[in-house]
Amino acid sequence: MTYRVDHFTALLDACVLADVFKRNLLLHLAEAELFRPRWSPQILDETERAIAKITKGKADGVKQRAAMERAFRDACVTGHEALIPAVNLPDANDCHVLAAAVHTNAQVLVTDNLKDFPSGELARFEIELKSPDEFIADTITLHEQTAFGALKTMRTGYQNPALSTGKIIQFAESRGLMTTALLLKEYEQYW
């Protein structure tokens, strides 16, 4: 997939990729070329483990990872390991995430674990921290027509069972995507 130069890069943390609904929203917006998604092998490893834990082994994390890798062949960041010692975070286990964001020149790091990434440390690298709710809502607002087209594609992809816009809005609310849910509700007739 080739992206226009004016689209920005967002590193997606494992916690947002492990949640199937958040992942679907984010990756449909990325497929619409509204941003360039990035992750690292370590993030995908964590995503696999989290999917297994969340679903109690009922979902195949390996298969879901492979689907992500096929759909976004240029999304995987490597070579960032040398930057890990330069990153100072409260949990050393998160340093690889910020190092990957720095290495790929991401403008945004999208995570549910906001407290684990102090703004001062991200400012050193000129990376903005956003929750998935804020990031998704901002992306929709900046590119309404294209974003709602992507959301319609996502909605019509749910066949068994089919999902209404109202049900998707309920899913957004249940996942803590409150700003996104309000936006989806406001523009419900467009998608």
Side-chain angles (χ1 to χ4, degrees), residues 40-67:
S40 68
Q42 297 93 328
I43 289 171
L44 292 178
D45 291 346
E46 289 179 15
T47 300
E48 274 187 60
R49 289 191 300 271
I51 289 170
K53 185 177 179 180
I54 290 166
T55 66
K56 296 177 176 53
K58 293 180 184 173
D60 187 346
V62 173
K63 183 177 175 183
Q64 292 179 28
R65 175 185 184 155

Side-chain angles (χ1 to χ4, degrees), residues 11 37-45 65 69 72-84 96-105:
L11 188 100
R38 295 290 186 262
W39 47 67
S40 68
Q42 297 93 328
I43 289 171
L44 292 178
D45 291 346
R65 175 185 184 155
E69 290 175 319
F72 297 96
R73 295 192 185 280
D74 61 349
C76 197
V77 178
T78 58
H80 60 284
E81 294 82 5
L83 297 174
I84 293 173
H96 72 91
V97 176
L98 183 52
V102 171
H103 186 67
T104 195
N105 296 314

